[in-house]
Structures are given as structure tokens and as C-alpha cells.
């Protein structure tokens, strides 16, 4: 049961050639309407949403990191689109794999740390010892902060992956009950699935937002 259950997250389930990873690029379809001379209501809504995030992220970033603002918005837009596409039947959930999430988190984490160690060398050491730490605890705090910093890419990627997998597994488990229950129970199962689907819609936006906000917080630490 469990191999079949987790096969919905398998990127190589095709008989001839795996096209699942092409779902990662489907978000490009949503870009051309932005260049229409007359915008639709959907495009206006997306534009207002992006501008709201633009103004919010602009307050979080330092002046030297302001050039990353468009990059952060693009990353969030890409993650949200891929999360939402995963809610459609027979579309591969690309953000449910560590291959993709680790690629995002590790790339940004490495770039921020390389920038910090080359441009703010002493500041990076200051972050290893919190203010007010007793002298005898400093070696332990350096070790703890170093480990905490090293596992950040993993925690970021696992957070996004686990949240995307959890909701899809619940919906899949409930759908497997459809052939085994009566009509009244089936209606109840469909109602619960609909509620879970609405929750997954919210999770798709929240996880993209949380991922990018944490990236912004990490970028501020290397340039305070």
C-alpha cells in the first residue's frame, strides 16, 4: 500500500519518458498575459498581490540587499504556482521533492554566506555568539550556532516538501475510501476532501511566503 501511496510523488512513473518534471515550467504559461495591452481581472489581481508583497519585502530587506527584491518575488511566484499546479489531477508536485527544494535553499544559502564571509567577515563571527552569552558558554554557543546555520538549507527544503506532501497524502488516503463506503459516508468523505483542498490552497500560498521570508531573514543576518 505504502509504495503505491507514495508513487504519486515519484518523478519517474511514466512508461516511456518521464514528462513529470515539465510541470515545473508550466508557470511560464501564466507570464504572457502580463504583456497584454488590456489586462484581465485575473492579471490585475495577480499584479495587486505582487505589488503588496513588493512593498512588504522592501521593508524587510537592507539597502544593500534591495537588488534581490525582484529575485525573491520571482522565487515566491514560482513556488506558489508549482504548489497550486500540484493540486490538479495527474500533475506532478515538483515542490514535494528535495531535488527542487534543496536546489533553491542551498543556492541562496551559499550565496548569502559567501557574500557575508567576504564582505562582513567580523559580523559573521559576531552572529556565532549571541549578545549577553556568559564566557564559559561561548564555545558551546559557537558550536550550536554553527550547526544551526549549516542545517538551514535542509530545514527550509524539508519544511516546504513535508507540507506539500502531507496534504496530498491525506486527500489520496480519503479518495481510496470512495469505493468502500456507502452513499452517506461518501458525501462526508467528499466534504472532508473539499475542506482539505481549501486548506491546501492556503498552504500553497503560505509555504511560498514563509520560504521567501526566511530567505530574506537569512540575507539580513549577513548584512546587518
Amino acid at each position: 500500500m505504502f509504495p503505491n501511496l507514495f508513487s504519486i510523488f515519484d518523478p519517474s512513473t511514466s512508461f516511456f519518458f518521464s514528462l513529470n518534471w515539465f510541470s515545473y515550467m508550466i508557470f511560464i504559461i501564466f507570464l504572457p498575459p502580463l504583456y497584454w495591452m488590456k489586462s484581465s481581472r485575473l492579471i490585475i489581481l495577480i499584479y495587486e498581490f505582487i505589488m503588496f508583497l513588493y512593498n512588504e519585502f522592501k521593508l524587510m530587506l537592507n539597502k544593500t540587499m534591495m537588488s534581490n527584491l525582484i529575485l525573491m518575488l520571482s522565487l515566491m511566484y514560482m513556488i506558489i504556482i508549482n504548489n497550486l499546479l500540484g493540486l490538479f489531477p495527474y500533475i506532478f508536485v515538483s515542490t514535494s521533492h528535495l531535488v527542487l527544494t534543496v536546489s533553491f535553499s542551498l543556492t541562496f544559502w551559499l550565496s548569502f554566506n559567501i557574500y557575508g564571509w567576504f564582505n562582513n567577515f567580523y559580523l559573521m563571527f559576531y552572529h556565532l555568539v549571541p549578545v549577553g552569552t556568559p564566557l564559559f558558554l561561548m564555545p558551546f554557543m559557537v558550536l550550536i550556532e554553527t550547526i544551526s546555520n549549516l542545517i538551514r538549507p535542509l530545514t527550509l527544503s524539508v519544511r516546504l516538501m513535508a507540507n506539500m506532501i502531507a496534504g496530498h497524502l491525506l486527500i489520496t488516503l480519503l479518495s481510496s475510501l470512495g469505493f468502500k463506503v456507502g452513499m452517506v459516508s461518501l458525501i462526508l468523505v467528499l466534504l472532508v476532501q473539499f475542506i482539505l483542498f481549501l486548506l491546501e490552497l492556503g498552504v500553497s500560498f503560505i509555504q511560498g511566503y514563509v520560504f521567501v521570508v526566511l530567505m530574506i531573514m537569512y540575507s539580513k543576518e549577513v548584512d546587518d
Side-chain angles (χ1 to χ4, degrees), residues 6-59:
F6 282 91
S7 65
I8 61 175
F9 304 103
D10 186 6
S12 57
T13 54
S14 175
F15 291 103
F16 301 103
F17 181 72
S18 178
L19 299 176
N20 289 324
W21 282 106
F22 279 91
S23 65
Y24 172 66
M25 301 302 295
I26 296 180
F27 75 95
I28 296 177
I29 299 174
F30 296 88
L31 294 181
L34 294 176
Y35 300 98
W36 291 352
M37 294 187 65
K38 185 177 181 180
S39 299
S40 64
R41 293 180 180 179
L42 177 60
I43 301 303
I44 294 174
L45 180 62
I46 294 175
Y47 176 77
E48 293 294 332
F49 175 68
I50 292 177
M51 289 306 299
F52 171 78
L53 294 174
Y54 176 85
N55 294 324
E56 185 172 350
F57 291 164
K58 187 166 62 174
L59 299 176

Side-chain angles (χ1 to χ4, degrees), residues 29-106:
I29 299 174
F30 296 88
L31 294 181
L34 294 176
Y35 300 98
W36 291 352
M37 294 187 65
K38 185 177 181 180
S39 299
S40 64
R41 293 180 180 179
L42 177 60
I43 301 303
I44 294 174
L45 180 62
I46 294 175
Y47 176 77
E48 293 294 332
F49 175 68
I50 292 177
M51 289 306 299
F52 171 78
L53 294 174
Y54 176 85
N55 294 324
E56 185 172 350
F57 291 164
K58 187 166 62 174
L59 299 176
M60 298 181 186
L61 286 170
N62 298 331
K63 291 182 179 180
T64 54
M65 288 291 179
M66 197 60 67
S67 58
N68 295 326
L69 184 54
I70 302 300
L71 181 62
M72 294 297 179
L73 286 172
S74 302
L75 176 63
M76 180 177 175
Y77 182 77
M78 187 163 50
I79 291 176
I80 289 177
I81 291 298
N82 281 277
N83 289 348
L84 292 175
L85 287 173
L87 296 176
F88 290 91
Y90 305 108
I91 295 183
F92 173 60
V93 191
S94 58
T95 49
S96 66
H97 268 260
L98 285 174
V99 173
L100 183 67
T101 56
V102 169
S103 300
F104 285 154
S105 59
L106 186 60

Side-chain angles (χ1 to χ4, degrees), residues 123-136:
L123 178 65
M124 297 297 291
F125 274 114
Y126 294 155
H127 282 302
L128 297 179
V129 182
V131 178
T133 303
L135 185 61
F136 68 94

Side-chain angles (χ1 to χ4, degrees), residues 124-161:
M124 297 297 291
F125 274 114
Y126 294 155
H127 282 302
L128 297 179
V129 182
V131 178
T133 303
L135 185 61
F136 68 94
L137 288 179
M138 285 185 179
F140 300 101
M141 292 306 300
V142 170
L143 178 61
I144 292 172
E145 291 295 326
T146 302
I147 296 175
S148 175
N149 190 24
L150 290 175
I151 66 173
R152 279 178 177 178
L154 183 61
T155 56
L156 268 177
S157 55
V158 170
R159 179 187 291 108
L160 177 58
M161 179 202 71

